[in-house]
Amino acid sequence: GGPVVRLPLTFYPGVASESEAKEVEVSSGKEATEINISVGQGQPGHTVRGRITDATTGSPLVNIGVDHGLTMNGTDRLIGGGNAGERTDGEGHFEITGLTPGRYALMVHPDSASDLYSDPRYFNIDSEDVDGIDLIARHGSTISGRIVLSENTDPALAKLLPQSRISAFPRDSLSLPFGSSTAPRQDGSFEIKGIRPGKILLSPFVALPLQVMSIESKGMTTNREIEVSAGEQVSGVIIRVGSGSGSIRG
């Protein structure tokens, strides 16, 4: 394939700056029409190259995914990005193409099979490619436990438990939207690796009609928040789910 072409970030009605954007007023039951956005011509993007190494050994890490995100107005808050399949090669090197000018963050991509994470590595792209980015990967903590049916829940709904997805996100950081996640095993047990230290928000997604009733950690019911120390292995977390009894009519 040829060079990757990225369209520039554009706000209504066709401006590059969020401060120059115009509001769109939407009233209840009404339709806003003629909301046309003029996007500038796409240009071949720039490339960032770097290497991921292990914080403990200094060794290059092979076949590790890389997340990237564009930040908002020079802050650390990410407004877009993700992983497009970029992974390190046999010497730990990576390459991401098609980037438009702006301030970006790079992070190790959360992988359910790995306990690695990294702090974000910020860099700017102006008019040239960026080389020599060093991304340091660390071995994170683990949160493990079980997702179970609460009392008085139809046992037949247990077949829905493996369809759940349990994610863990940094609680107080808008700059780290990429959390670690996993699906529970057939017996409801789960293990989430690569957890960074700090306050972690545990976010279970369950199949309807199930809903989360409570989460217990360290012998106490929690509001989904778990404090995790560096290297800590948090075990025995219980996620209780049941079927809701309420309804909404309209």
Side-chain angles (χ1 to χ4, degrees):
V4 177
V5 175
R6 295 281 177 92
L7 296 176
L9 180 65
T10 307
F11 300 91
Y12 176 73
V15 295
S17 173
E18 183 181 7
S19 62
E20 299 176 10
K22 293 184 178 180
E23 294 182 350
V24 177
E25 185 174 343
V26 180
S27 302
S28 177
K30 302 294 183 180
E31 179 181 355
T33 61
E34 298 300 320
I35 308 301
N36 303 316
I37 301 176
S38 300
V39 180
Q41 184 177 1
Q43 299 291 333
H46 296 289
T47 298
V48 59
R49 303 177 185 88
R51 193 185 196 201
I52 300 180
T53 56
D54 188 301
T56 303
T57 65
S59 302
L61 295 173
V62 177
N63 197 32
I64 299 297
V66 187
D67 281 328
H68 66 278
L70 183 65
T71 65
M72 177 181 290
N73 295 332
T75 68
D76 290 348
R77 181 173 182 176
L78 300 186
I79 57 175
N83 178 276
E86 299 93 349
R87 305 190 76 86
T88 56
D89 62 17
E91 296 180 344
H93 295 106
F94 63 85
E95 178 178 283
I96 301 173
T97 60
L99 300 181
T100 56
R103 186 170 187 262
Y104 289 83
L106 286 174
M107 287 162 284
V108 167
H109 178 69
D111 189 328
S112 59
S114 168
D115 68 345
L116 294 174
Y117 78 94
S118 73
D119 293 326
R121 175 71 160 79
Y122 296 97
F123 65 95
N124 293 309
I125 286 185
D126 296 316
S127 58
E128 298 179 349
D129 294 347
V130 175
D131 292 288
I133 296 291
D134 292 320
L135 196 56
I136 308 300
R138 306 180 187 281
H139 295 273
S141 300
T142 299
I143 295 176
S144 62
R146 293 174 62 87
I147 181 169
V148 301
L149 295 179
S150 59
E151 293 183 6
N152 302 319
T153 299
D154 184 356
L157 294 177
K159 64 183 181 182
L160 299 178
L161 295 180
Q163 299 178 28
S164 305
R165 193 76 189 175
I166 305 168
S167 301
F169 298 90
R171 180 66 179 86
D172 300 319
S173 180
L174 293 173
S175 63
L176 297 170
F178 306 111
S180 301
S181 66
T182 190
R185 305 178 185 93
Q186 289 295 324
D187 63 355
S189 63
F190 68 88
E191 183 179 62
I192 308 176
K193 301 178 181 179
I195 304 295
R196 65 182 63 246
K199 293 181 179 180
I200 300 299
L201 184 63
L202 203 61
S203 183
F205 297 89
V206 295
L208 294 174
L210 294 175
Q211 61 183 14
V212 177
M213 311 301 286
S214 66
I215 298 178
E216 301 169 15
S217 175
K218 303 178 181 179
M220 300 177 62
T221 300
T222 174
N223 59 348
R224 304 195 182 195
E225 185 177 286
I226 298 177
E227 184 80 28
V228 179
S229 303
E232 183 180 6
Q233 308 303 305
V234 180
S235 60
V237 174
I238 301 296
I239 301 174
R240 299 189 187 278
V241 299
S243 54
S245 57
S247 62
I248 298 177
R249 294 183 174 88

